[in-house]
Amino acid sequence: MNKIFPQEDVNGNVAPETKVLPGGKAGGGPHCCSRRGACLLAFALLLLAILAALITLVAIHGLPPREPGARACVTPTNRTGFLCHDRRTCIPASSVCDGVRACVHGDDEDESLCRDVPRSLPAFLVARCGDPASWIYSDQRCDGTNNCGDCSDERSPVIVCPSCGPGWWRCTPTVFKYCDCIPRTLCRDRVQHCSDWSDEFSCPGP
């Protein structure tokens, strides 16, 4: 067992008691301080290395998407829409991947979204026609126009659409573009658009 004797200075004063660690070395010496400083330095270097690795990954792969996926919304005309990353702008479904940037950041024309249309599009943007090989954008259903080519986007059994709205005239159109109604703007223009000529004789016009 180590004994500690009081130490006197040159003036005869007794020095404070010094603690002895196992092995006979006094605590609080310069070796302990240098060891603690080395640990702190190593920890700081480790943090810097992790930060550098994260910066490198972001530089190589880019930032992660702000939203985990495309989101549906409803346009002012009550149609299915695509919600831009700003979470405020709702564009028509048919404006996605049309070659024109409708979203502020161009996310409607993003490569991952448009690389293999329609397979790469979210399901809410796509509607199938009577022929399963044909498709249209979901906001083109029940819009009065023959987008599928066989009117399956306007008629049952594929889809049930509401009756012609106030801006339309119900008849059997002679124009391939329409199915069960024609726009009232075509009435009384001296051109036959209905098979029974009702657009010229019965339709009151717009």
Side-chain angles (χ1 to χ4, degrees), residues 21 42 56 59 71 76 78 81 85 89 91 94 98 133 151 163 166 171 181 193 203:
L21 297 176
T56 302
R71 296 175 181 269
N78 204 30
H85 282 335
T89 309
I91 65 171
S94 51
D98 63 350
C151 284
S163 301
C171 70
C181 312
H193 296 290
C203 177

Side-chain angles (χ1 to χ4, degrees), residues 127-181:
R128 295 291 173 180
C129 298
D131 176 3
S134 300
W135 69 280
I136 59 172
Y137 285 99
S138 51
D139 65 332
Q140 295 176 321
R141 291 178 298 188
C142 298
D143 66 350
T145 304
N146 182 14
N147 297 294
C148 282
D150 59 0
C151 284
S152 58
D153 55 311
E154 301 295 321
R155 295 176 181 164
S156 59
V158 177
I159 189 169
V160 177
C161 298
S163 301
C164 300
W168 296 76
W169 174 255
R170 177 175 292 280
C171 70
T172 302
T174 59
V175 184
F176 176 81
K177 183 179 179 180
Y178 304 108
C179 296
D180 297 314
C181 312

Side-chain angles (χ1 to χ4, degrees), residues 6 14 32 51 77 79 86 98 104-105 116 133-134 139 141 162 167 177 187 194 197 202:
V14 177
C32 181
L51 181 61
T77 57
R79 294 278 173 181
D86 63 9
D98 63 350
V104 175
H105 301 291
D116 187 20
S134 300
D139 65 332
R141 291 178 298 188
K177 183 179 179 180
C187 290
C194 295
W197 286 89
S202 305

